[in-house]
mmCIF file of all heavy atoms in Angstrom:
data_model
loop_
_atom_site.group_PDB
_atom_site.id
_atom_site.type_symbol
_atom_site.label_atom_id
_atom_site.label_comp_id
_atom_site.label_asym_id
_atom_site.label_seq_id
_atom_site.Cartn_x
_atom_site.Cartn_y
_atom_site.Cartn_z
ATOM 1 N N ALA W 47 -12.605 -3.667 5.390
ATOM 2 C CA ALA W 47 -11.488 -4.199 6.163
ATOM 3 C C ALA W 47 -11.579 -5.698 6.326
ATOM 4 O O ALA W 47 -10.566 -6.336 6.691
ATOM 5 C CB ALA W 47 -11.432 -3.512 7.535
ATOM 6 N N ARG W 48 -12.738 -6.288 6.114
ATOM 7 C CA ARG W 48 -12.879 -7.717 6.365
ATOM 8 C C ARG W 48 -13.149 -8.512 5.071
ATOM 9 O O ARG W 48 -12.354 -9.330 4.646
ATOM 10 C CB ARG W 48 -13.991 -7.937 7.406
ATOM 11 C CG ARG W 48 -14.168 -9.379 7.854
ATOM 12 C CD ARG W 48 -12.939 -9.836 8.642
ATOM 13 N NE ARG W 48 -13.192 -11.129 9.234
ATOM 14 C CZ ARG W 48 -12.984 -12.303 8.624
ATOM 15 N NH1 ARG W 48 -12.495 -12.287 7.392
ATOM 16 N NH2 ARG W 48 -13.234 -13.447 9.231
ATOM 17 N N PHE W 49 -14.263 -8.225 4.444
ATOM 18 C CA PHE W 49 -14.668 -9.087 3.311
ATOM 19 C C PHE W 49 -14.963 -8.268 2.070
ATOM 20 O O PHE W 49 -15.702 -7.310 2.121
ATOM 21 C CB PHE W 49 -15.939 -9.866 3.678
ATOM 22 C CG PHE W 49 -15.688 -11.320 3.872
ATOM 23 C CD1 PHE W 49 -15.617 -11.846 5.147
ATOM 24 C CD2 PHE W 49 -15.465 -12.130 2.780
ATOM 25 C CE1 PHE W 49 -15.336 -13.197 5.319
ATOM 26 C CE2 PHE W 49 -15.194 -13.467 2.953
ATOM 27 C CZ PHE W 49 -15.139 -14.009 4.242
ATOM 28 N N ASN W 50 -14.392 -8.702 0.941
ATOM 29 C CA ASN W 50 -14.666 -8.015 -0.319
ATOM 30 C C ASN W 50 -14.951 -9.054 -1.374
ATOM 31 O O ASN W 50 -14.195 -10.001 -1.568
ATOM 32 C CB ASN W 50 -13.440 -7.200 -0.724
ATOM 33 C CG ASN W 50 -13.140 -6.125 0.262
ATOM 34 O OD1 ASN W 50 -13.729 -5.035 0.216
ATOM 35 N ND2 ASN W 50 -12.234 -6.414 1.169
ATOM 36 N N VAL W 51 -16.093 -8.911 -2.025
ATOM 37 C CA VAL W 51 -16.482 -9.832 -3.084
ATOM 38 C C VAL W 51 -16.349 -9.074 -4.425
ATOM 39 O O VAL W 51 -16.997 -8.034 -4.599
ATOM 40 C CB VAL W 51 -17.906 -10.338 -2.910
ATOM 41 C CG1 VAL W 51 -18.240 -11.331 -4.006
ATOM 42 C CG2 VAL W 51 -18.025 -11.025 -1.529
ATOM 43 N N VAL W 52 -15.493 -9.553 -5.280
ATOM 44 C CA VAL W 52 -15.262 -8.876 -6.543
ATOM 45 C C VAL W 52 -16.034 -9.632 -7.631
ATOM 46 O O VAL W 52 -15.780 -10.792 -7.880
ATOM 47 C CB VAL W 52 -13.749 -8.854 -6.891
ATOM 48 C CG1 VAL W 52 -13.493 -8.082 -8.189
ATOM 49 C CG2 VAL W 52 -12.943 -8.262 -5.741
ATOM 50 N N THR W 53 -16.974 -8.942 -8.230
ATOM 51 C CA THR W 53 -17.803 -9.617 -9.242
ATOM 52 C C THR W 53 -17.624 -8.901 -10.602
ATOM 53 O O THR W 53 -17.099 -7.778 -10.661
ATOM 54 C CB THR W 53 -19.276 -9.660 -8.875
ATOM 55 O OG1 THR W 53 -19.755 -8.326 -8.870
ATOM 56 C CG2 THR W 53 -19.517 -10.316 -7.545
ATOM 57 N N GLY W 54 -18.125 -9.571 -11.630
ATOM 58 C CA GLY W 54 -17.992 -8.963 -12.971
ATOM 59 C C GLY W 54 -17.888 -10.096 -13.999
ATOM 60 O O GLY W 54 -17.617 -11.246 -13.609
ATOM 61 N N HIS W 55 -18.083 -9.750 -15.253
ATOM 62 C CA HIS W 55 -18.052 -10.806 -16.285
ATOM 63 C C HIS W 55 -16.609 -11.247 -16.522
ATOM 64 O O HIS W 55 -15.658 -10.623 -16.051
ATOM 65 C CB HIS W 55 -18.625 -10.264 -17.592
ATOM 66 C CG HIS W 55 -20.118 -10.044 -17.499
ATOM 67 N ND1 HIS W 55 -20.671 -8.838 -17.264
ATOM 68 C CD2 HIS W 55 -21.118 -10.941 -17.599
ATOM 69 C CE1 HIS W 55 -21.975 -8.972 -17.208
ATOM 70 N NE2 HIS W 55 -22.284 -10.234 -17.390
ATOM 71 N N ASN W 56 -16.484 -12.349 -17.243
ATOM 72 C CA ASN W 56 -15.153 -12.837 -17.590
ATOM 73 C C ASN W 56 -14.378 -11.772 -18.358
ATOM 74 O O ASN W 56 -14.928 -11.139 -19.250
ATOM 75 C CB ASN W 56 -15.285 -14.101 -18.455
ATOM 76 C CG ASN W 56 -15.571 -15.312 -17.569
ATOM 77 O OD1 ASN W 56 -15.100 -15.380 -16.443
ATOM 78 N ND2 ASN W 56 -16.361 -16.233 -18.094
ATOM 79 N N GLY W 57 -13.120 -11.625 -18.013
ATOM 80 C CA GLY W 57 -12.260 -10.715 -18.754
ATOM 81 C C GLY W 57 -12.328 -9.251 -18.379
ATOM 82 O O GLY W 57 -11.696 -8.421 -18.998
ATOM 83 N N VAL W 58 -13.080 -8.914 -17.334
ATOM 84 C CA VAL W 58 -13.102 -7.498 -16.914
ATOM 85 C C VAL W 58 -11.940 -7.116 -16.020
ATOM 86 O O VAL W 58 -11.625 -5.934 -15.826
ATOM 87 C CB VAL W 58 -14.423 -7.080 -16.230
ATOM 88 C CG1 VAL W 58 -15.572 -7.099 -17.214
ATOM 89 C CG2 VAL W 58 -14.677 -7.900 -14.995
ATOM 90 N N GLY W 59 -11.280 -8.126 -15.454
ATOM 91 C CA GLY W 59 -10.079 -7.816 -14.652
ATOM 92 C C GLY W 59 -10.214 -8.162 -13.184
ATOM 93 O O GLY W 59 -9.564 -7.552 -12.343
ATOM 94 N N LYS W 60 -11.037 -9.125 -12.824
ATOM 95 C CA LYS W 60 -11.184 -9.523 -11.436
ATOM 96 C C LYS W 60 -9.880 -10.140 -10.945
ATOM 97 O O LYS W 60 -9.385 -9.751 -9.890
ATOM 98 C CB LYS W 60 -12.294 -10.598 -11.296
ATOM 99 C CG LYS W 60 -13.689 -10.099 -11.663
ATOM 100 C CD LYS W 60 -14.777 -11.091 -11.332
ATOM 101 C CE LYS W 60 -14.674 -12.402 -12.115
ATOM 102 N NZ LYS W 60 -14.866 -12.231 -13.565
ATOM 103 N N THR W 61 -9.363 -11.054 -11.695
ATOM 104 C CA THR W 61 -8.083 -11.698 -11.320
ATOM 105 C C THR W 61 -6.961 -10.686 -11.275
ATOM 106 O O THR W 61 -6.137 -10.697 -10.369
ATOM 107 C CB THR W 61 -7.753 -12.810 -12.323
ATOM 108 O OG1 THR W 61 -8.824 -13.758 -12.328
ATOM 109 C CG2 THR W 61 -6.486 -13.545 -11.931
ATOM 110 N N ASN W 62 -6.994 -9.744 -12.225
ATOM 111 C CA ASN W 62 -5.958 -8.717 -12.240
ATOM 112 C C ASN W 62 -5.965 -7.840 -11.020
ATOM 113 O O ASN W 62 -4.940 -7.417 -10.539
ATOM 114 C CB ASN W 62 -6.065 -7.855 -13.497
ATOM 115 C CG ASN W 62 -5.679 -8.630 -14.767
ATOM 116 O OD1 ASN W 62 -5.085 -9.728 -14.630
ATOM 117 N ND2 ASN W 62 -5.986 -8.069 -15.904
ATOM 118 N N LEU W 63 -7.168 -7.593 -10.505
ATOM 119 C CA LEU W 63 -7.278 -6.793 -9.277
ATOM 120 C C LEU W 63 -6.623 -7.526 -8.110
ATOM 121 O O LEU W 63 -5.850 -6.951 -7.336
ATOM 122 C CB LEU W 63 -8.747 -6.470 -8.990
ATOM 123 C CG LEU W 63 -8.983 -5.662 -7.680
ATOM 124 C CD1 LEU W 63 -8.203 -4.335 -7.701
ATOM 125 C CD2 LEU W 63 -10.464 -5.402 -7.479
ATOM 126 N N LEU W 64 -6.893 -8.825 -8.007
ATOM 127 C CA LEU W 64 -6.248 -9.601 -6.947
ATOM 128 C C LEU W 64 -4.758 -9.649 -7.133
ATOM 129 O O LEU W 64 -3.957 -9.548 -6.192
ATOM 130 C CB LEU W 64 -6.803 -11.062 -6.916
ATOM 131 C CG LEU W 64 -8.249 -11.299 -6.573
ATOM 132 C CD1 LEU W 64 -8.444 -12.700 -6.000
ATOM 133 C CD2 LEU W 64 -8.797 -10.288 -5.549
ATOM 134 N N ASP W 65 -4.328 -9.770 -8.376
ATOM 135 C CA ASP W 65 -2.882 -9.835 -8.681
ATOM 136 C C ASP W 65 -2.232 -8.490 -8.302
ATOM 137 O O ASP W 65 -1.096 -8.465 -7.828
ATOM 138 C CB ASP W 65 -2.635 -10.179 -10.142
ATOM 139 C CG ASP W 65 -1.203 -10.636 -10.371
ATOM 140 O OD1 ASP W 65 -0.620 -11.265 -9.454
ATOM 141 O OD2 ASP W 65 -0.638 -10.361 -11.448
#
Side-chain angles (χ1 to χ4, degrees):
Chain W
R48 186 66 172 87
F49 251 104
N50 298 276
V51 181
V52 182
T53 65
H55 290 99
N56 280 326
V58 292
K60 297 188 296 296
T61 302
N62 289 348
L63 178 58
L64 295 204
D65 197 32

